[in-house]
Amino acid sequence: MTWLITGGAGYIGAHVARVMADAGERVVALDDLSAGVAHRLPSDIALIQGSSLDGDLLKRTFAEHTVTGVVHLAARKQVGESVAQPARYYQENVGGLATLLDAVAEAGIGRFLFSSSAAVYGNPDVELITEDTPCAPMSPYGETKLAGEWLVRAAGRAHGIATVCLRYFNVAGAAAPELADTGVFNVVPMVFDRLTRDEAPRIFGDDYPTPDGTCVRDYIHVADLADAHLAAARRLAATGTPGVTGATDATRDLTVNIGRGEGVSVRELVTLIGEVTGDTRAALVEPRRPGDAPRAVASAARAAEELGWTARRGVREMVESAWQGWRLHHSG
């Protein structure tokens, strides 16, 4: 097997690339470096600079590196930006995926792992979100992920490609400081950014129907997420035989939540960040943001059953490792 990882120099992609390579898988990375960082990848992993929208580049890469499976992580992923620029999100997230799947089918590649998101669910009123919970995304970003799943499954049926869609919940932490998230779009780096600028962290709404009034979320360590990709890739390696349609074979089409199955409130998370950083100033409570669900926690049962995977790292380890990375990247 040789795996092409699109978005392989990104925050999540570089973790996945390293875990798979360390486990003995042959890995090639494709990244346009709009958000990725080349030096996140070790020197023995080839990096092709380019986009999944470039069909000719994909064909050359598949042929030159004898690619037999694809892990597709490349995508735009900011909810607010997707609301402001929906056409761009559909073009890059769905259009890029369509171009990639066409190239995969033409090359006879039989295994495809798709990076999806819990954003496909929207705002379900349930204690635990299972993979069968109805999907009702609340942003163009979430819509593109749901449409992407539909497209992946349709291409799998049409071309005999074994597929897995992983629906990530809230990703945090770093396996090593140099691999840490350098963006300020997720809650943990957003709090770090406020503290670094000598400002109090913010909580958007404290009147939700939850134990402490703040939103409850499921946080997953990025290293655990990378391990889940390895488990899914190995499942695909065992089931993906090109040319066999497998339209009724459930093992060739799997959708799985990736989370810990445990909820942490925003206030609990901010308090923990204060303990780790030593900055325990009180958070500012601001009005609710539109579209924030009171609770979004995964059922992790299917991942354990189908992939033999469960999360091993806790929220404190996520915050501590993320803080080490933040200090490395913001030491100046």
Side-chain angles (χ1 to χ4, degrees):
M1 289 291 300
T2 297
W3 293 93
L4 176 71
I5 302 177
T6 71
Y11 164 53
I12 295 174
H15 279 89
V16 173
R18 287 196 181 199
V19 162
M20 291 183 67
D22 288 347
E25 303 290 341
R26 292 193 297 273
V27 171
V28 179
L30 174 77
D31 202 299
D32 65 6
L33 300 183
S34 60
V37 181
H39 64 69
R40 281 180 170 141
L41 291 168
S43 58
D44 57 345
I45 294 180
L47 172 61
I48 294 91
Q49 186 171 348
S51 168
S52 55
L53 286 160
D54 188 340
D56 290 338
L57 175 62
L58 293 171
K59 293 173 187 177
R60 290 197 303 273
T61 301
F62 291 160
E64 290 172 8
H65 294 275
T66 319
V67 172
T68 50
V70 172
V71 179
H72 183 48
L73 294 101
R76 303 201 69 81
K77 61 178 185 176
Q78 297 177 41
V79 170
E81 184 182 60
S82 78
V83 174
Q85 303 178 40
R88 182 183 188 187
Y89 269 65
Y90 272 86
Q91 179 183 26
E92 295 195 23
N93 290 6
V94 182
L97 174 60
T99 300
L100 177 59
L101 286 167
D102 277 346
V104 164
E106 184 176 334
I109 294 169
R111 303 157 183 93
F112 196 93
L113 174 53
F114 178 59
S115 162
S116 189
S117 167
V120 302
Y121 294 114
N123 186 4
D125 183 17
V126 294
E127 185 71 13
L128 289 178
I129 297 172
T130 75
E131 292 82 357
D132 297 321
T133 298
C135 293
M138 300 177 65
S139 69
Y141 165 68
E143 292 167 3
T144 65
K145 285 300 184 180
L146 184 56
E149 290 188 10
W150 295 340
L151 181 55
V152 166
R153 296 185 195 109
R157 290 190 297 269
H159 303 294
I161 303 168
T163 65
V164 173
C165 297
L166 299 183
R167 293 174 173 169
Y168 313 164
F169 279 67
N170 297 266
V171 185
E178 65 272 16
L179 295 181
D181 191 358
T182 56
V184 189
F185 308 113
N186 299 317
V187 61
V188 173
M190 286 174 68
V191 175
F192 291 163
D193 182 57
R194 296 279 294 185
L195 298 180
T196 300
R197 292 189 281 114
D198 198 29
E199 297 175 2
R202 294 184 294 179
I203 292 175
F204 295 98
D206 65 351
D207 59 348
Y208 286 93
T210 61
D212 66 14
T214 66
C215 293
V216 173
R217 296 289 181 266
D218 191 334
Y219 296 93
I220 180 75
H221 197 298
V222 67
D224 281 329
L225 177 61
D227 290 341
H229 281 78
L230 175 61
R234 289 191 162 164
R235 177 194 172 101
L236 285 170
T239 61
T241 304
V244 180
T245 60
T248 60
D249 184 353
T251 67
R252 299 180 60 82
D253 172 12
L254 180 65
T255 300
V256 184
N257 288 337
I258 302 298
R260 295 172 62 245
E262 299 178 13
V264 178
S265 77
V266 173
R267 190 175 293 281
E268 289 172 332
L269 182 66
V270 169
T271 299
L272 178 56
I273 291 173
E275 294 174 5
V276 169
T277 63
D279 190 330
T280 58
R281 74 183 79 190
L284 298 174
V285 177
E286 299 192 359
R288 294 185 183 191
R289 295 180 301 187
D292 277 347
R295 178 181 174 85
V297 179
S299 166
R302 184 178 292 181
E305 179 182 351
E306 297 287 351
L307 301 179
W309 171 90
T310 55
R312 297 185 293 112
R313 299 162 179 89
V315 179
R316 179 174 288 274
E317 187 172 348
M318 296 179 213
V319 172
E320 290 175 345
S321 62
W323 180 236
Q324 292 174 357
W326 180 269
R327 288 187 294 175
L328 173 66
H329 292 292
H330 297 83
S331 58

